[in-house]
Amino acid sequence: MQTDILVIGSGIAGLTYALKVAKDCPDKKVTIFTKTISDETNTKYAQGGIAGVWNKENDSFEKHIEDTLISGDGLCNEGIVEIVVKEGVDRIREIIKWGARFDKEPDGDYALGKEGGHSEFRVLHHKDITGQELERALLEAIKSQPNIEVITHCFVVDIITQHHLGYLVTKSTPDIECFGVYALNLRTKKIDKVLASITLLATGGNGQVYRTTTNPAIATGDGVAMAYRAKGRIENMEFIQFHPTALYEPGLRGQAFLITEAVRGDGGILRNSEGEAFMVRYDERKDLAPRDIVARAIDSEMKKTGTEQVWLDCTHMDKEKFVHHFPNIYDKCLSIGIDITKNMIPVAPAAHYSCGGIKTDEWGRTSINHLYAAGECASTGLHGANRLASNSLLEAMVFAHRAYMDTVKKINNGLNGEWGRWNRQFIPDWRTEGTTAPKEMILITQSLKELQLLMSDYVGIVRTNTRLERAMRRLDLLHEETEELYKATEISPQLCQLRNMITVGYLIVKSAIFRHESRGLHYNTDYPVKSDLLQNIVL
Ligand code: FAD
Ligand code: SIN
């Protein structure tokens, strides 16, 4: 198969980019691959909203920039922060033009929410299902674009580079070229060679590497693992954000329901098992301190009291207002017997967001030519050591736009040069000889369980050198066993995802081992203080 522009992922980053390129280049074919159904993405589950300087009377670009920098704990790229905050407002206007609806006040102004680390009310939202609304609007908008094709149930396995033409490719190869991907079509069960002039990775996050996560099952870090295998640069993977308040349901493994931080923005209070509002002991911003601080405080309270959860108390909040802003949360709690007007909500931290990822420049370009990355799989420099709440949807739109601008420039300049000199007709088809259908699924499911447990136990909110070293040893074994299985077994999404998640686990642990300090989301009790040396860990 051949296409002009290949987009991997149908979340906010992939859809925004595809829409823009397709509109601007009507003679180019834009193909979107997504591994399950179109809207099953992290985007769909976003609750709180999109941060943007909307009310210039109280708010300003400077304040949003300052809040982002404080949250990032010294590691944000200030130029990138400025770009995202300043350009973000136009991107929000664009998505409104494409049909996204945000809640309004009775006077017609947009209703702005507040979340941890924000000094002002600046979060545009659609009730507590902002992501669902954005995904709906974007999928609707691309329907009217005849040169976009969305192929669902298509699992991308690997990026094609000159390695597949028989050339040696290492991290120090200066001009690694991306020619497209190998993708497993889950309907035909065949692995297709898909050639493209330009490829965008918009594959989202990797929360599934941990035992409990707010992320859906698709969030397995495929893009990061593929880019790493293709010898692309990967940055700051140790900064995994744990959301402080996922709904606690005993024994749950996998996706946990999120209780948005906006609930605390509207007055919700965290309490420990003794009923104490403990955040006052940890930070003067109390329940609205940045996420790393709140998640660590909860972790510490749970460890002190030997519990697996704390409480989010909303019983004092106005019921009508709560139901109006958070209807989905209200209904979910009620469905499991929690009436938020009478009962506190049991919550615990869960893996939520990957601040690092595929290293990109200010145009979304990766270290591999003709390969862009945008959205959660990318590391643009915006988040530093800790992402400010509701900045990721914004970042995804800004970098989808910037990657689109650069793509169009490339197309207009002609795609020849280095890329054109390769004999792409010699790229081989995927080879399946010598592999057999998986006989023992338990080998895959059990390894996944082991991976998630070891990451949660040893590479969670609080880390130590011993735990990280132990995690690395366990990962080595899982890696070895899984590679053997991969070589001998027919490709399946489950096996590929396991392999990708082991790679992502390795990248997180390796980066964490390299960081000899505690900063932002990376807290190692063997190095409790911040180093004077500001460094990004690039693998
Ligand atoms: P996604 O939306 O995750 O899309 C990834 C796409 O890639 C999917 O279509 C998937 O099928 C595809 N894909 C992945 N691997 C492959 C493969 N191998 N082959 C083919 N396709 C593949 N951020 C905010 O700013 N504000 C919020 O309020 C907010 N709330 C959140 C609440 C929850 C519960 C969660 C989980 C996240 C939240 N976030 C929020 C974070 C934000 O939603 C995500 O970072 C963002 O939506 C990611 O968008 P994306 O386009 O990068 O990826
Ligand atoms: C939330 O609504 O609490 C999540 C917001 C985010 O992750 O940015």
Side-chain angles (χ1 to χ4, degrees), residues 47-48 115 243 258 260-261 291 352 387 389-390:
Q47 291 190 356
E115 293 173 34
H243 196 291
L258 181 73
T260 173
E261 200 156 287
R291 264 180 210 170
H352 181 60
R387 175 183 66 110
S390 287

Coordinates of all heavy atoms in Angstrom, one line a residue, residues 47-48 115 243 258 260-261 291 352 387 389-390, ligand 2:
Q47 N -11.1 14.7 30.9 CA -12.2 15.2 31.7 C -12.1 16.7 31.9 O -13.0 17.5 31.5 CB -12.3 14.6 33.0 CG -12.7 13.1 33.0 CD -13.0 12.5 34.4 OE1 -12.8 13.2 35.4 NE2 -13.4 11.3 34.4
G48 N -11.0 17.2 32.6 CA -10.9 18.6 33.1 C -11.1 19.6 32.0 O -11.9 20.5 32.0
E115 N -7.5 24.1 37.9 CA -6.9 22.8 38.4 C -5.6 23.0 39.1 O -5.1 24.2 39.1 CB -6.8 21.8 37.2 CG -8.1 21.4 36.6 CD -8.0 20.6 35.3 OE1 -7.0 19.9 35.1 OE2 -8.8 20.8 34.4
H243 N -1.9 10.5 38.4 CA -3.0 11.4 38.8 C -3.3 11.1 40.2 O -3.5 9.9 40.6 CB -4.2 11.2 37.9 CG -5.1 12.3 37.9 ND1 -5.9 12.6 39.0 CD2 -5.4 13.3 37.0 CE1 -6.7 13.6 38.8 NE2 -6.4 14.1 37.6
L258 N -11.4 8.1 36.3 CA -10.7 9.4 36.8 C -11.8 10.2 37.5 O -12.9 10.4 37.1 CB -10.1 10.2 35.7 CG -9.4 11.4 36.1 CD1 -8.1 11.1 36.8 CD2 -9.1 12.3 34.9
T260 N -11.8 13.9 38.1 CA -11.0 15.1 37.6 C -10.5 16.0 38.7 O -11.3 16.2 39.7 CB -11.8 15.9 36.5 OG1 -11.0 17.1 36.2 CG2 -13.1 16.3 37.0
E261 N -9.4 16.6 38.5 CA -8.8 17.6 39.4 C -9.7 18.8 39.5 O -9.7 19.5 40.5 CB -7.5 18.0 38.8 CG -6.6 18.6 39.8 CD -5.1 18.5 39.3 OE1 -4.6 17.4 39.4 OE2 -4.6 19.5 38.9
R291 N 0.4 18.3 40.7 CA 0.1 16.9 40.8 C 1.2 16.1 41.5 O 0.9 15.1 42.3 CB -0.1 16.3 39.5 CG -1.5 16.3 39.2 CD -1.8 15.7 37.8 NE -3.0 16.4 37.4 CZ -3.5 16.3 36.2 NH1 -2.9 15.6 35.3 NH2 -4.6 17.0 35.9
H352 N -0.9 8.2 34.8 CA -1.8 9.0 34.1 C -1.2 9.6 32.8 O -1.9 9.6 31.7 CB -2.2 10.2 35.0 CG -3.2 11.1 34.4 ND1 -4.5 10.7 34.0 CD2 -3.1 12.5 34.2 CE1 -5.1 11.8 33.5 NE2 -4.3 12.8 33.6
R387 N 4.0 17.8 34.1 CA 3.0 18.5 33.3 C 2.0 19.3 34.1 O 1.4 18.7 35.0 CB 2.3 17.5 32.4 CG 1.2 18.2 31.5 CD 0.5 17.1 30.7 NE -0.2 16.2 31.6 CZ -1.6 16.2 31.7 NH1 -2.3 16.9 31.0 NH2 -2.1 15.3 32.5
A389 N -1.6 20.6 34.7 CA -2.9 20.0 34.3 C -3.5 20.7 33.1 O -3.4 21.9 32.9 CB -3.9 20.1 35.5
S390 N -4.1 19.9 32.2 CA -4.9 20.5 31.0 C -4.0 21.2 30.0 O -4.5 21.9 29.1 CB -6.0 21.4 31.5 OG -7.0 20.5 32.0
Ligands
SIN2 C1 -8.1 16.0 35.1 O1 -9.2 16.3 34.6 O2 -7.9 16.0 36.3 C2 -7.1 15.6 34.2 C3 -6.5 16.8 33.6 C4 -5.2 16.5 32.9 O3 -4.7 15.4 33.0 O4 -4.7 17.4 32.3

